[in-house]
Amino acid sequence: MNNIKANRLKDQIFKYWGIACTLLGLVLLAIFIGSILIDGLQRIDWDFITSLPSRKAERAGIYTALMGSVWVLVLTTLIALPLGIAAAIYLEEYAKKGRLSSLLEVNISNLAGVPSIIYGLLGLEIFVRVAEMGSSVLAGSFTLALLILPIVIVSTREAIKAVPQSVRDASFALGASKWQTVARQLLPASFGGILTGVILALSRAVGETAPLIVIGALTYVPFAPESPMDEFSVLPIQIFNWISRPQEGFEVNAAAAIIILLLITFLMNGIAVFFRNKWQKKLG
Amino acid sequence: MTQQVNENIVDKSIKRVHKLEARGVKVFYDNFEAIKGIDMQIKANKVTAFIGPSGCGKSTFLRLFDRMNDYVDGFRMEGEILIDGENIYKKKVNVEQLRKQVGMVFQKPNPFPKSIYENVAYGLKIQGIKDKKFLKEKVEESLKQVALWDEVKDDLNKSAMALSGGQQQRLCIARTLAVEPSIILMDEPTSALDPLSTAKIEELIYELKQKYTIVIVTHNMQQAGRISDYTAFFYLGELIEYDKSKKLFTNPEKQQTENYITGRFG
Ligand SMILES: Nc1ncnc2c1ncn2[C@@H]1O[C@H](COP(=O)(O)OP(=O)(O)O)[C@@H](O)[C@H]1O
Ligand SMILES: [Mg+2]
């Protein structure tokens, strides 16, 4: 009898502890977003988005950094998507399950945990110097593509794995080759899941700062990039740059830019969740 | 002697008496011997049933005839499997081509998560057939063969996943027929279905044997008795008895067979 009471008490304590922990996270996030909104919201207008950087805080805008981020996102996608999906298909459908493939698997999982600055150093050596891309959008995109590649591979594999074996059986039994089965059954059926993983990976890439600073992305660029070989900045670097200035006006600018960056991230996550739900319904 | 020769000539031009043949077949999964040396001949345009307790190797043996075990980890085979006298495990055999000739229906209905139309047309589309009119006709013909056409003709673009289990299984059979195989392998095709759907499939199998050689795994003895011409009883990876179904079910030669069909084990 006593035991039951004691257990129930523990139950209650843990429940409230859990609620408190959850709330703490939410409250901190709310305070952070709230203070950013208070600081930055009034600064956001069309001019802020379309203006070039300036030494005067009230005239400075995020245009070049935003365009830099868009360029990097698009190129990163173009590089990481085919590589990641191809690797995932190979590992999931073609590779013989053995020591080599499990070694690869462990390695890829570990890569997802490597600090991003290490990718920056790798990018600096391989893309900027050896491949002679310089501190260009392309070099930055290759670097970020490497960074998100493990995430793309792992989530694509999960999505492909979620397609029931019976679909493969049925396809093979009708005389389909492996490639036909992959292209006509597995990829369409796992499309939503792959997309979800890719978008989440990209929303991580859009916030990355360290590796891009390492490869030499600029803190101040007067023009938006016009080709993959141009120099560039990105939103988080612009924010970092503004925050480190002493004048008050730039702090407001930084807050406003943070709001834009958060908006982009939330939007991407929202789209990812949307596709995940749609995809789960289709398979179920 | 002359008769023998004549029969062989007939075999080549129309059909052989023995459509399928296993010669000294052993199957291993790593070191486990799942099939322990089976010789067997299966007649064309008949329904042959495989019965036996769970795990005795029926599915393994059945899947040899369309090489569906090829991708299974640790699978290894000895001996020969012949279709129309040709060893299908020879190196130069095109497995995709073989599987167009040998259809397979699985235990759990497994339509693709696509429309009804796409399910039936898939086997033809992967052969590179693009002619819309031809595909449409073939889809209709196949669905009619399995008596599903009237039920779905207005919903061809609806997802196959929305059909009932019995309808799904008939769709899977239609999908197989569309490729025009000469052999259909069925692995417990009704074990996931209700009695009414089961009856429909059994009726269908009865009609199909005019044109197809059918091999069906079942652990429903009544079903084997109802629909099959020949029955093979497997036990622990061995073919224990193989005879006309009437004979096997009424007057089996082996004690083990009798024990099994009278429900004393398995
Ligand atoms: N993929 C596999 N790997 C290892 N053993 C298997 C595999 N598939 C089947 N077996 C084994 O082979 C034997 C025969 O299996 P199966 O052909 O599925 O029997 P049945 O269809 O008669 O129930 C069983 O003992 C089973 O455990
Ligand atoms: Mg089985």
Side-chain angles (χ1 to χ4, degrees), chain A residues 166 171-172 180 184-185, chain B residues 99 110 112 114 122 126 175:
Chain A
S166 64
S171 180
F172 289 139
Q180 286 174 322
R184 291 168 183 248
Q185 297 293 347
Chain B
R99 294 199 183 120
N110 57 351
F112 300 121
K114 293 176 184 288
Y122 181 71
I126 55 175
R175 175 173 78 180

Side-chain angles (χ1 to χ4, degrees), chain B residues 6 28 62 72 88 123 143 145-146 165 173 177 204 224 256:
Chain B
N6 276 342
F28 299 86
L62 185 78
V72 174
I88 60 167
L143 287 170
Q145 269 183 289
V146 300
I173 297 174
L177 298 181
L204 179 60
Q256 276 167 309

Side-chain angles (χ1 to χ4, degrees), chain B residues 54-60 63 107 187-188 217 219:
Chain B
S54 225
C56 68
K58 306 179 296 293
S59 299
T60 299
R63 290 161 65 93
Q107 183 164 358
D187 195 348
E188 305 193 29
V217 173
H219 59 220

Side-chain angles (χ1 to χ4, degrees), chain A residues 209-225:
Chain A
T209 324
L212 294 182
I213 290 179
V214 172
I215 68 143
L218 303 176
T219 50
Y220 175 85
V221 254
F223 300 106

Side-chain angles (χ1 to χ4, degrees), chain A residues 95-105, chain B residues 73:
Chain A
K96 286 235 159 60
K97 306 279 175 278
R99 201 170 295 168
L100 184 70
S101 73
S102 44
L103 192 75
L104 276 175
E105 237 162 83
Chain B
D73 283 325

Side-chain angles (χ1 to χ4, degrees), chain A residues 81-93 108 149 153 157:
Chain A
L81 208 63
L83 282 178
I85 293 180
I89 290 172
Y90 170 74
L91 288 172
E92 206 49 51
E93 301 295 323
I108 288 170
L149 206 51
I153 293 175
R157 289 189 64 184

